[in-house]
Amino acid sequence: MTDAIRLQNCQFAYHKNTNVLNIDELTIKKGEKVFLYGPSGHGKSTLLNLIAGVLKASSGNVEVLGQDLSKLNQSARDKLRGEKIGYIFQLFNLIPYLSVKENIELPCLINKKRAQSLTNIEAQAMALIESLGLFDLTTKSVTDLSIGQQQRVACARALIGEPEIIIADEPTSALDEKNNKEFMKLLMNEWEKKKFTLLFVSHDERLKTYFDRTISLPEINRHV
Amino acid sequence: MFNFLTFKSLKNRKFTSLLCVLSIALSVTLFLGIERIRNGARDGFTNTISKTDLIIGAKGGPLQLLLYTVFHIGGAVNNIKVSTYNEIKSNPQIEWAIPISLGDTYRGFRVVGTDENFFNHYQFRGDKKVEFQTGNIPSDTFEVVIGSQVARKFGHLVGDPIVISHGISSGAIMTHDQTPFKIIGILKPTQTPIDNAVYITLQGMEAIHFGWETGTPSGETINPERFKKENIEITQLTSFMVKLKSRIAVLRMRRSIDQYEAEPIMAIIPALSLQEMWETIGYVEQILLLVSVFVLIGGAMSILIALYTSINERRREMAILRSLGASSQNVFFLLLYESGLLVFSGCILGVVNLYGALYFIRPWLETNFSIYLPIEMLSKTELYYLGAIFILGTMAGLIPAIKAYLNSLQDGLSIKI
């Protein structure tokens, strides 16, 4: 069992006869860092929602860490996501009414198992804050942060509790060149330390140099 | 998770949350307040007189008899003979009888001629009796006891002399100035018509009309010997109240009085008449009830609006929570919990306000409307109301909660801005 994510003959349709996703085979090994090239309009959101267990495949298999998601009910899929997956959005990752530290600790609050693996949530939050260079911002309101800072906080939040999979959905596309580079450097540093499975989605092909392998969504999604 | 997030989220929108809580609190205060006033007014009214089994007076309208005897409103068409009173009073079934003689006023307040039985036996609001603030029962011809409002309005003290006006019209110009009275007692407030009356003896009532046999003062000088209490003969009364030794006899007694041959008289059962009268004016009560229900619906609407308008701007927040492992159900309950918390705080604040308001308006209601509102613990009914309000308010939060749930199902992890 060395696959982190595995899709087989996977199809998804919001309505009958209008498949938005049709993937024969997609496998990502544990500890791999994968660049998923996905320009908009190629079923990118659908694929990520399937892997995260928010949506359920219409047919075929989606396995995450050896678990067949089609055999799990919604609440079990929500639990699996909360426990094993860290998720970074393109923009507006943070809950506006929580502080930086509260945002980072939030996954542990929502999923108890995520917290269980930690002896000290506070200590790990502080360690992440330290290594992502957020030290001066701990008590700041998240609305006072720059976009670059916000994305780093989002990164710290995805990493807390050491989830096995990190899904980053265009995390750098709202950043300028300098922040972009800095974010990638920090993310790669963390990967070196923890060797989680990293699924990085972007339409910016220049970023693929950071990764072990590149998958092109337009190529594997036969439908569109 | 819910406590922390809800608390933080409400705090973040503290102005809207506060307005929401205040609006709920206002509806709760108004609803419970109106309920209390409604019940207070009804209880006050139907308990103006208690323990009295029958009121007996000259034949006429039953309502009229009740109004002039108990509320001192309007007047009797005919008086009754004292011999009638004496005969009925001597019936072995009678426990006590209180004679009432009306017809004069003191600066707009009714003068009631009665005897010591009134002070010893008259009861209201269950088993409350007439009590003295200071002084005693009038015993001599020209002694008077005044109600608390009369004392308050004119600042009267025991020992003050007062002059009674003839007749019950408000602009009475003829006064019994030859026969001034002396205040020998002031009654405690009762929040009943007693507060607005002055009480003299039956003999006093006769004595001030010596020389008035024609309806106007004759001007003749009355021999002071005639004013001695033992020399005054009472000839007529306006009405009287009786209590029977056994309740069972009330209806039979009433029938025999209605058929009394020596004089045309009638008897009414005050509790029954009061109830009937309240029912005829009780539509006011219904209107109050209706108003308070609408006030409540308004409060519930404010929750609905406050939460519903926030749903769209919080779509992002919900997607983030979902990405962190929250289920759609979690999102639903988060919203429901918020509304529940708002309503709960509103209820608590509303009850606090209720007691605050009661404390302040109580004296005003008592003096101006004779509505007696005791500051009591929440009754069982009121707790039921609060429960119902809580459920209603939380239900109002159900609509935004369902909306958020559907949004989160639809959006999944895609962030809609």
Side-chain angles (χ1 to χ4, degrees), chain A residues 10-25:
Chain A
C10 177
Q11 293 182 334
F12 181 83
Y14 285 101
H15 306 289
K16 268 183 190 168
N17 307 324
T18 54
N19 272 0
V20 289
L21 204 74
N22 187 354
I23 293 176
D24 278 348
E25 173 88 37

Side-chain angles (χ1 to χ4, degrees), chain B residues 285-338:
Chain B
E285 203 189 11
Q286 305 296 322
I287 291 170
L288 279 179
L289 187 72
L290 204 66
V291 168
S292 42
V293 167
F294 279 119
V295 163
L296 258 188
I297 293 174
M301 288 294 282
S302 79
I303 290 227
L304 176 68
I305 293 165
L307 287 184
Y308 199 87
T309 48
S310 74
I311 292 297
N312 265 337
E313 57 193 77
R314 295 178 70 189
R315 250 178 131 137
R316 209 164 65 210
E317 180 188 329
M318 299 306 161
I320 295 166
L321 290 176
R322 290 221 61 196
S323 80
L324 301 179
S327 62
S328 297
Q329 287 89 330
N330 287 153
V331 169
F332 173 81
F333 282 114
L334 198 67
L335 263 286
L336 201 64
Y337 193 74
E338 270 189 27

Side-chain angles (χ1 to χ4, degrees), chain B residues 61-364:
Chain B
L63 189 61
Q64 201 184 3
L65 175 56
L66 179 78
L67 283 176
Y68 64 70
T69 308
V70 179
F71 293 95
H72 310 139
I73 295 169
V77 178
N78 281 309
N79 280 348
I80 56 175
K81 290 182 197 133
V82 163
S83 56
T84 307
Y85 165 68
N86 286 330
E87 190 187 329
I88 293 171
K89 193 173 81 166
S90 60
N91 185 316
Q93 289 182 322
I94 303 284
E95 191 178 321
W96 48 253
I98 300 171
I100 299 286
S101 184
L102 301 164
D104 288 342
T105 51
Y106 167 61
R107 292 164 82 171
F109 292 101
R110 282 304 179 87
V111 175
V112 181
T114 184
D115 66 10
E116 66 284 354
N117 276 359
F118 172 76
F119 300 98
N120 294 332
H121 297 303
Y122 188 87
Q123 278 164 283
F124 57 94
R125 210 173 303 126
D127 55 359
K128 290 239 166 59
K129 287 193 170 184
V130 178
E131 286 178 78
F132 281 85
Q133 189 85 45
T134 50
N136 315 297
I137 297 173
S139 55
D140 208 11
T141 312
F142 293 118
E143 287 180 344
V144 61
V145 163
I146 60 176
S148 61
Q149 283 297 318
V150 183
R152 199 183 67 101
K153 186 158 181 194
F154 304 120
H156 281 323
L157 298 171
V158 169
D160 285 358
I162 66 173
V163 169
I164 287 164
S165 311
H166 188 68
I168 58 169
S169 61
S170 54
I173 40 166
M174 287 186 290
T175 56
H176 296 288
D177 49 3
Q178 301 300 309
T179 50
F181 280 73
K182 193 177 98 182
I183 298 172
I184 66 142
I186 295 169
L187 299 175
K188 281 189 179 166
T190 62
Q191 284 82 47
T192 72
I194 294 172
D195 298 348
N196 297 309
V198 307
Y199 292 87
I200 61 173
T201 58
L202 293 172
Q203 289 80 8
M205 189 61 102
E206 287 287 336
I208 54 176
H209 294 102
F210 285 163
W212 285 62
E213 286 76 9
T214 55
T216 48
S218 61
E220 65 179 300
T221 316
I222 312 284
N223 179 357
E225 274 299 302
R226 281 189 67 194
F227 289 131
K228 287 225 170 121
K229 198 177 177 185
E230 54 276 18
N231 294 338
I232 298 169
E233 192 204 355
I234 295 152
T235 55
Q236 51 184 11
L237 293 174
T238 309
S239 59
F240 60 99
M241 310 177 221
V242 297
K243 166 135 174 67
L244 304 186
K245 286 178 184 142
S246 154
R247 278 242 136 133
I248 305 163
V250 169
L251 286 175
R252 196 157 7 106
M253 175 64 88
R254 181 187 182 184
R255 205 159 40 240
S256 77
I257 286 167
D258 285 344
Q259 290 159 2
Y260 189 74
E261 282 180 3
E263 197 180 9
I265 56 169
M266 63 181 290
I268 58 166
I269 300 169
L272 221 61
S273 301
L274 282 167
Q275 194 59 48
E276 278 170 16
M277 196 173 147
W278 182 256
E279 275 159 24
T280 59
I281 56 173
Y283 67 92
V284 178
E285 203 189 11
Q286 305 296 322
I287 291 170
L288 279 179
L289 187 72
L290 204 66
V291 168
S292 42
V293 167
F294 279 119
V295 163
L296 258 188
I297 293 174
M301 288 294 282
S302 79
I303 290 227
L304 176 68
I305 293 165
L307 287 184
Y308 199 87
T309 48
S310 74
I311 292 297
N312 265 337
E313 57 193 77
R314 295 178 70 189
R315 250 178 131 137
R316 209 164 65 210
E317 180 188 329
M318 299 306 161
I320 295 166
L321 290 176
R322 290 221 61 196
S323 80
L324 301 179
S327 62
S328 297
Q329 287 89 330
N330 287 153
V331 169
F332 173 81
F333 282 114
L334 198 67
L335 263 286
L336 201 64
Y337 193 74
E338 270 189 27
S339 64
L341 205 66
L342 287 174
V343 183
F344 186 74
S345 321
C347 285
I348 300 286
L349 187 66
V351 170
V352 171
N353 284 348
L354 173 73
Y355 283 104
L358 269 185
Y359 182 79
F360 286 108
I361 64 164
R362 212 162 76 106
W364 179 74

Side-chain angles (χ1 to χ4, degrees), chain A residues 6-71:
Chain A
R6 201 159 98 112
L7 277 74
Q8 272 184 316
N9 301 322
C10 177
Q11 293 182 334
F12 181 83
Y14 285 101
H15 306 289
K16 268 183 190 168
N17 307 324
T18 54
N19 272 0
V20 289
L21 204 74
N22 187 354
I23 293 176
D24 278 348
E25 173 88 37
L26 170 65
T27 311
I28 295 168
K29 289 193 167 43
K30 276 191 180 175
E32 229 184 339
K33 43 176 181 170
V34 172
F35 181 79
L36 181 69
Y37 171 65
S40 56
H42 285 85
K44 182 196 73 176
S45 299
T46 310
L47 176 63
L48 296 183
N49 274 312
L50 280 173
I51 295 170
V54 171
L55 294 178
K56 198 171 177 174
S58 312
S59 66
N61 282 339
V62 178
E63 277 179 31
V64 172
L65 298 165
Q67 300 234 47
D68 185 352
L69 294 189
S70 61
K71 294 206 175 89

